[in-house]
Amino acid sequence: IDLSDNELSQQAIDQLLEDLYDNWVSVNRGGVTINLRGNKPPSDKLGLEFVTILRSKGWNITHQ
């Protein structure tokens, strides 16, 4: 999924990551690539927690 350069807010990024995590809980799968460059970074607490979890499940998430 390429969502780069959309100028998404930090809140939108955090919500997107939460939705992606919820989707992973429903259907466990690895090998997903998410490009979030060119948007606000995920929040230090909530957003990065989802990034860490999804990366540990085999996802590739770039956000800087």
Side-chain angles (χ1 to χ4, degrees):
I1 300 171
D2 186 0
L3 297 172
S4 60
D5 299 319
N6 281 294
E7 300 180 18
L8 297 173
S9 68
Q10 187 174 64
Q11 182 180 8
I13 293 295
D14 286 350
Q15 184 61 57
L16 174 71
L17 290 166
E18 184 175 359
D19 291 346
L20 289 169
Y21 172 77
D22 290 344
N23 183 269
W24 176 83
V25 168
S26 296
V27 183
N28 297 351
R29 65 182 162 281
V32 176
T33 300
I34 310 291
N35 182 359
L36 299 173
R37 290 184 180 137
N39 298 292
K40 297 289 183 187
S43 66
D44 288 338
K45 190 169 186 171
L46 181 64
L48 289 179
E49 182 177 337
F50 290 123
V51 169
T52 300
I53 293 168
L54 291 170
R55 282 180 176 163
S56 75
K57 305 303 180 187
W59 289 39
N60 179 19
I61 301 174
T62 55
H63 57 84
Q64 299 272 331

